[in-house]
Amino acid sequence: MRRFPRWLKILGILIPLLLLILAAALFGLGWYVRSQILDSGGTLPASMAAYDVVHYHLEVSVDPVEQVIEGANSVTVRTLAALDHFEIHLDEHLQVRSVTENGENLSFTHRKGVVRAKLAAPWRQGERREITIAYGGAPKVALRPPWIDGFVWSETPTGQPWIGVTSQGDGGDVWWPCKDHPSDEPDEGMTISLTVPSELVGLTNGRKVAERDNGDGTTTFHWSETYPITTYLVMVAISNYIEVTSLPDLYNGMPLTYYCYPEHLALAENQFAQVYDLIELFSNKLGEYPFIDEKHASIEIPMGSSGMEHQTVTCISDDWMDRAATPVIVGHEVAHQWFGDWV
C-alpha cells in the first residue's frame, strides 16, 4: 500500500479547511452587504395608497460629535379614501419619539420600517389633514455611498466636520419619515429646516429663505423646495462651506452657485466653471431648467463614488475634485436635473 508523505496529508486537510473558511467569509460578507441595503418602493399597502402627500415640513438637527439626528416631519395629506390609521415609512435605526395630530399624542407602533398611528377620529375621503412624526437617533451609516446608502460622518482635510447623506437605493426613509414611494411626490413641495453647529453651513434642496442663529451654538438654515420632489433626492450636506457666486445668474436671475471647502477653492473654481454653459446648453436642447424658481448649486460632499444628482443640487465627491475626468461627471449630474429629477 502506497504511503503519502506526512506534509502532503497535512496539506490535504488544510486546503479544504481554508477553502471552507474562505467560502464562509465570502458568504458572511455577502450577507452583511445585503443587510445594508434597505427595501424601497414596492407595492403600497392600502393605508398608504389611501392618501396623497401635499407637503412635507421636515425639521432636523444634526450633531456631528455624537453622530445623531433629531427631528420632526409634519406631513400634509389629502385623503383619497377613509382612514382610521395613518402609516408612513421610517428606518428602524431611528426611534419614533411621538406622533401627533393637532397637538394630540396618538398611539403608534414602529415595526418593519413602518410607523402606524391610530387616529383620534377617522379621516373621511377628500379631507386635507396634517400629522407630525417626531423622531431621532443614530441613522444608518453609508457603507458605499451613493450605492449603499446612509449618513457619512467624516472630516475635511483640515479636520472640520464633514457630513452628507444619500438615499437613492434605500429611499428617503433611511433618515426621515416619509411615504417612500416614487408614485407620490408632495404636490406643494417641501420645507426643510436644518439645524447645525454655528461654525458650519447646512445645505439642502431648494432656495434658502432664512438663516437663524439660535443663540445656543447652533444655526438653523431654512430652505424651501416649491416643486414636487421624490423622497430619495432629499439631501443634506454640512461642513465649513464657503459659497462662491462667481458664476453668472441664469437668464431669469436664478442663482448658480457652488459650495466648497476653503482649502478646495481653486479646485472648485476649475471644476464648476462649466456649469453655466452646461445649463444653458441643456436648456436650449431639452427645455427650460426644471427648477427655475429655485437654484442650481454644485457642491462637494464626502462621498466615495463620483457624484449624485440631488434636486437643485449637483453633488461631486471630494475625491474627484482634482481629477481630469471630473468635468464629465459634473455634466452627467447636471443632466440628471432633467432626466431623473424632473422626469
Side-chain angles (χ1 to χ4, degrees):
M1 181 177 179
R2 184 177 179 185
R3 300 187 63 182
F4 292 98
R6 180 179 175 82
W7 66 267
L8 192 58
K9 291 181 180 180
I10 295 173
L11 198 61
I13 296 172
L14 286 178
I15 289 176
L17 182 60
L18 289 172
L19 290 174
L20 183 62
I21 293 171
L22 178 60
L26 290 174
F27 176 83
L29 178 62
W31 174 87
Y32 175 71
V33 170
R34 288 192 298 274
S35 74
Q36 296 300 299
I37 301 173
L38 304 181
D39 290 335
S40 183
T43 303
L44 275 174
S47 56
M48 289 195 197
Y51 70 84
D52 175 53
V53 178
V54 176
H55 185 264
Y56 290 120
H57 182 187
L58 177 62
E59 302 172 88
V60 62
S61 176
V62 179
D63 184 339
V65 176
E66 299 297 328
Q67 298 187 357
V68 296
I69 63 176
E70 288 290 334
N73 189 21
S74 296
V75 187
T76 303
V77 306
R78 184 179 299 107
T79 56
L80 306 177
L83 282 171
D84 58 7
H85 284 80
F86 178 83
E87 291 188 0
I88 198 164
H89 296 107
L90 181 66
D91 180 34
E92 289 176 83
H93 283 79
L94 297 160
Q95 295 80 52
V96 179
R97 310 302 191 200
S98 65
V99 181
T100 57
E101 183 186 9
N102 298 323
E104 181 179 351
N105 284 306
L106 306 179
S107 61
F108 65 88
T109 60
H110 185 199
R111 300 191 187 101
K112 297 182 178 180
V114 174
V115 181
R116 189 171 195 263
K118 171 68 175 175
L119 298 172
W123 294 352
R124 296 188 298 271
Q125 181 181 354
E127 294 183 324
R128 185 181 175 109
R129 294 282 190 160
E130 181 180 297
I131 198 164
T132 300
I133 303 94
Y135 73 105
K140 178 191 169 203
V141 174
L143 182 63
R144 184 173 175 258
W147 313 113
I148 302 179
D149 293 315
F151 258 73
V152 179
W153 307 93
S154 189
E155 292 183 346
T156 70
T158 58
Q160 293 294 316
W162 193 5
I163 303 102
V165 64
T166 66
S167 54
Q168 70 169 336
D170 289 351
D173 64 325
V174 73
W175 69 279
W176 61 287
C178 59
K179 184 177 177 181
D180 179 37
H181 200 273
S183 67
D184 195 359
E185 299 180 358
D187 303 317
E188 296 174 8
M190 186 167 182
T191 304
I192 304 173
S193 300
L194 177 58
T195 300
V196 302
S198 292
E199 66 272 16
L200 304 178
V201 173
L203 307 177
T204 185
N205 314 86
R207 184 185 288 265
K208 188 172 76 170
V209 295
E211 179 179 331
R212 184 184 72 246
D213 186 336
N214 298 315
D216 60 357
T218 67
T219 297
T220 300
F221 296 84
H222 298 278
W223 297 82
S224 174
E225 175 59 83
T226 58
Y227 295 91
I229 181 171
T230 195
T231 57
Y232 82 88
L233 291 174
V234 181
M235 56 81 71
V236 297
I238 302 161
S239 194
N240 64 328
Y241 284 115
I242 56 173
E243 181 181 11
V244 183
T245 58
S246 58
L247 290 172
D249 288 350
L250 210 57
Y251 41 83
N252 77 327
M254 185 194 79
L256 292 177
T257 62
Y258 54 94
Y259 295 84
C260 64
Y261 310 103
E263 60 271 28
H264 286 177
L265 178 58
L267 294 174
E269 290 275 8
N270 180 54
Q271 299 290 15
F272 296 145
Q274 62 173 326
V275 171
Y276 179 89
D277 292 336
L278 284 169
I279 291 185
E280 189 175 52
L281 171 65
F282 294 148
S283 295
N284 290 334
K285 299 294 185 182
L286 305 173
E288 185 177 71
Y289 178 73
F291 313 107
I292 198 71
D293 293 329
E294 306 289 2
K295 72 169 185 307
H296 186 276
S298 303
I299 68 173
E300 59 171 325
I301 67 172
M303 187 169 61
S305 189
S306 53
M308 182 62 199
E309 69 278 8
H310 297 108
Q311 188 163 308
T312 73
V313 186
T314 294
C315 299
I316 302 297
S317 170
D318 64 290
D319 289 342
W320 281 72
M321 291 303 290
D322 60 352
R323 300 191 187 186
T326 298
V328 176
I329 300 299
V330 173
H332 173 98
E333 303 303 344
V334 170
H336 266 305
Q337 299 295 320
W338 281 263
F339 296 100
D341 293 6
W342 181 42
V343 177

